[in-house]
């Protein structure tokens, strides 16, 4: 995917969610607008205006008298055809010191990505991340190269590959029909079939192809050097000509555990195995993660590790619908999490990747809470809890939302259906991310 990019001078740009990008000359004068190249802006503009999934992460608008692109609630990295690399970071870590905020946001994002199955192998404690600020793409490349380096040290697996050739020596099995066809005159040759012990197997072809891709892109000297060394180790392995077929042919035999992580990275590099990726005709590359999904997965994984019997936490329950029409159900209700005990379902929890402000007035401003979210929770409460029980809305913790709202919300005069609004700390340094007692989870 990366190998099709045009080689131009790379320009890095870092922006937070809902940040602005522009190619206008006036962009440099505005503190909240990140300047990018004209080619990069035009490419992203086309993505924004297309009908494909790429249009979801950008919004075209006018701001400060110039045309800008506003990033939506996605985080990750976009590599444009002209080499411009745009790093998009979670809005949660904004601070007065932008450089420090970017570093903290990047670390928190990497930590949260580990909750996604395809990114479970990400290392967040390696020295290269701690000591120097590297773009996300370079972090991914460095970790892939380190994983392949470990594989090479443990041994690249070879396998018996059946080959047919017109050889000067008789070895293996003589193919009589082919012998007559090709060597009726040249009787000193032998058309044979034999098993050769070679490194040419699907796993090695995929890793070699991924190495070839990242070697042509990385701008970090250490990664450039290591990629060339590793390419030499795979010199006898042909490149993959069909990624899909080769990935389906991968077989983890005994003693091949060291292939797991390198192949996971190879899939990411070659197929864009992420919640959002852009390929298209430009061969541009992106890894963009919808923060709603990342936050939901991160919270779910954290809480499931802390719920003990007899309580049980289930995710993505969808047994109820909002209405029925005849014998059909409409508008499936899918709360993020449902907490059960021996008595049955007692708490429904939903995550929202939105910033709320408990310092705002409770009346007019409503703390920045969304009426739509409260209607959604009402549906959950009456369908899953039968109008009696606890509902919890979980938002990311910020400087403006550090503690659960002082009072709970009630949907009825008898106060049978209660909703609580609580923060969840996504900082990579956090020791206690949420108050489990507020969720009805017994921390035992």
């Amino acid at each position: 995917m990366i190998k099709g990019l045009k080689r131009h001078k790379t320009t890095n740009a870092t922006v937070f969610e809902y940040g602005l990008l522009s190619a206008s000359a006036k962009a440099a004068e505005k503190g909240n607008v990140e300047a990018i190249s004209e080619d990069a802006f035009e490419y992203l503009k086309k993505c924004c205006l297309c009908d494909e999934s790429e249009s979801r992460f950008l919004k075209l608008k006018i701001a400060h008298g110039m045309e800008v692109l506003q990033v939506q609630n996605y985080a990750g990295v976009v590599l444009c055809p002209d080499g411009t690399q745009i790093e998009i970071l979670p809005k949660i870590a904004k601070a007065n010191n932008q450089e420090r905020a970017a570093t903290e946001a990047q670390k928190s994002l990497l930590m949260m990505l580990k909750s996604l199955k395809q990114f479970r192998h990400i290392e967040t404690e390696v020295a290269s991340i701690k000591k120097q600020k590297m773009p996300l793409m370079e972090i991914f490349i460095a970790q892939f190269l380190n994983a392949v380096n470990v594989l090479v040290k443990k041994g690249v697996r070879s396998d018996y590959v059946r080959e047919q050739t017109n050889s000067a020596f008789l070895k293996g099995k003589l193919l009589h029909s082919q012998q007559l066809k090709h060597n009726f005159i040249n009787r000193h040759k032998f058309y044979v079939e034999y098993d050769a012990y070679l490194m040419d197997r699907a796993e090695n072809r995929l890793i070699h192809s991924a190495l070839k891709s990242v070697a042509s892109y990385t701008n970090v000297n250490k990664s450039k050097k290591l990629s060339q060394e590793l390419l030499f180790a795979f010199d006898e392995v042909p490149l993959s000509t069909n990624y899909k077929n080769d990935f389906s042919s991968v077989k983890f035999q005994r003693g091949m555990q060291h292939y797991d992580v390198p192949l996971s990275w190879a899939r990411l590099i070659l197929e864009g195995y992420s919640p959002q990726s852009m390929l298209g005709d430009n061969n541009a590359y992106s890894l963009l993660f919808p923060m709603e999904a990342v936050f939901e997965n991160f919270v779910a994984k954290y809480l499931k590790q802390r719920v003990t019997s007899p309580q049980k936490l289930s995710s993505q329950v969808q047994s109820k619908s909002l209405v029925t029409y005849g014998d059909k159900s409409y508008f499936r209700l899918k709360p993020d999490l449902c907490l059960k005990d021996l008595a049955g379902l007692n708490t429904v929890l939903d995550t929202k990747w939105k910033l709320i402000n408990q310092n705002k007035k409770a009346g007019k401003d409503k703390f920045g809470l969304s009426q739509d979210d409260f209607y959604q929770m009402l549906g959950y409460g009456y369908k899953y809890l039968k109008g009696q029980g606890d509902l919890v809305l979980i938002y990311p913790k910020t400087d403006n939302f550090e503690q659960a709202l002082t009072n709970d919300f009630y949907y009825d005069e008898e106060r049978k259906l209660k909703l609580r609004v609580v923060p969840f700390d996504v900082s990579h340094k956090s020791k206690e991310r949420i108050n489990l007692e507020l969720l009805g989870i017994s921390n035992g």
Side-chain angles (χ1 to χ4, degrees), residues 103 107 125-134:
T103 301
K107 290 178 180 179
E125 297 299 318
V126 293
S128 61
I129 297 178
K130 285 186 169 184
K131 292 183 179 179
Q132 69 178 103
K133 175 163 173 40
M134 295 173 65

Side-chain angles (χ1 to χ4, degrees), residues 271-408:
E271 292 189 342
Y273 195 59
S274 71
Q276 175 86 3
S277 60
M278 294 192 307
L279 298 178
D281 297 332
N282 293 287
N283 292 312
Y285 183 81
S286 76
L287 287 173
L288 292 170
F289 308 93
M291 288 307 301
E292 280 280 1
V294 174
F295 184 55
E296 177 188 329
N297 279 273
F298 185 54
V299 172
K301 183 177 180 180
Y302 179 86
L303 295 181
K304 283 181 178 180
Q305 292 172 343
R306 285 154 181 80
V307 171
T308 56
S309 184
Q311 289 186 311
K312 180 182 179 181
L313 190 71
S314 302
S315 58
Q316 288 298 320
V317 177
Q318 46 181 317
S319 60
K320 306 291 183 181
S321 296
L322 187 61
V323 294
T324 57
Y325 180 76
D327 59 351
K328 293 182 180 291
S329 297
Y330 287 90
F331 311 121
R332 187 74 65 183
L333 295 172
K334 303 176 184 179
D336 293 336
L337 297 163
C338 291
L339 182 67
K340 296 181 180 180
D341 59 15
L342 290 176
L345 189 68
N346 62 346
T347 307
V348 172
L349 309 97
D350 215 52
T351 60
K352 301 295 179 185
W353 182 254
K354 300 175 182 178
L355 300 185
I356 67 171
N357 189 346
Q358 63 188 155
N359 300 318
K360 285 187 174 183
K361 294 179 181 179
K364 182 179 178 180
D365 295 323
K366 305 179 184 66
F367 308 108
L369 296 167
S370 167
Q371 181 173 300
D372 290 343
D373 293 342
F374 274 64
Y375 275 130
Q376 183 183 45
M377 297 303 286
L378 176 63
Y380 295 159
Y382 275 91
K383 289 295 184 174
Y384 284 95
L385 302 178
K386 297 180 180 179
Q388 185 171 341
D390 294 337
L391 302 164
V392 180
L393 274 175
I394 302 173
Y395 294 89
K397 182 180 179 180
T398 65
D399 291 342
N400 292 320
F401 183 44
E402 296 184 311
Q403 302 292 334
L405 292 186
T406 306
N407 299 313
D408 296 328

Side-chain angles (χ1 to χ4, degrees), residues 16-19 55-61 69-75 88-89 91 289 291:
F16 287 94
E17 286 176 273
Y18 298 104
S55 62
R56 298 174 188 168
F57 85 100
L58 289 169
K59 183 178 181 181
L60 184 64
K61 58 192 297 186
L69 288 166
Q70 184 181 45
V71 179
Q72 299 303 294
N73 59 331
Y74 284 79
I88 306 166
L89 298 173
K91 61 191 175 187
F289 308 93
M291 288 307 301

Side-chain angles (χ1 to χ4, degrees), residues 129-188:
I129 297 178
K130 285 186 169 184
K131 292 183 179 179
Q132 69 178 103
K133 175 163 173 40
M134 295 173 65
L136 278 173
M137 188 71 81
E138 294 291 359
I139 290 175
F140 293 150
I141 289 174
Q143 293 200 20
F144 165 64
L145 294 176
N146 288 336
V148 177
N149 195 29
V150 170
L151 182 152
V152 170
K153 290 177 180 178
K154 290 185 176 181
V156 178
R157 285 292 293 264
S158 296
D159 206 353
Y160 285 103
V161 178
R162 183 152 294 183
E163 292 197 343
Q164 293 182 4
T165 185
N166 205 11
S167 173
F169 305 96
L170 178 61
K171 57 180 177 178
K173 176 184 176 183
L174 180 67
L175 300 177
H176 294 284
S177 59
Q178 298 292 340
Q179 176 71 11
L180 289 172
K181 180 179 179 180
H182 295 278
N183 298 325
F184 186 76
I185 304 291
N186 300 322
R187 299 194 177 187
H188 62 284

Side-chain angles (χ1 to χ4, degrees), residues 412-426:
D412 57 315
E413 292 181 2
E414 293 81 15
R415 299 198 167 196
K416 292 180 179 180
L417 187 60
K418 176 178 67 177
L419 185 145
R420 180 169 291 152
V421 177
V422 301
F424 188 96
D425 193 347
V426 297

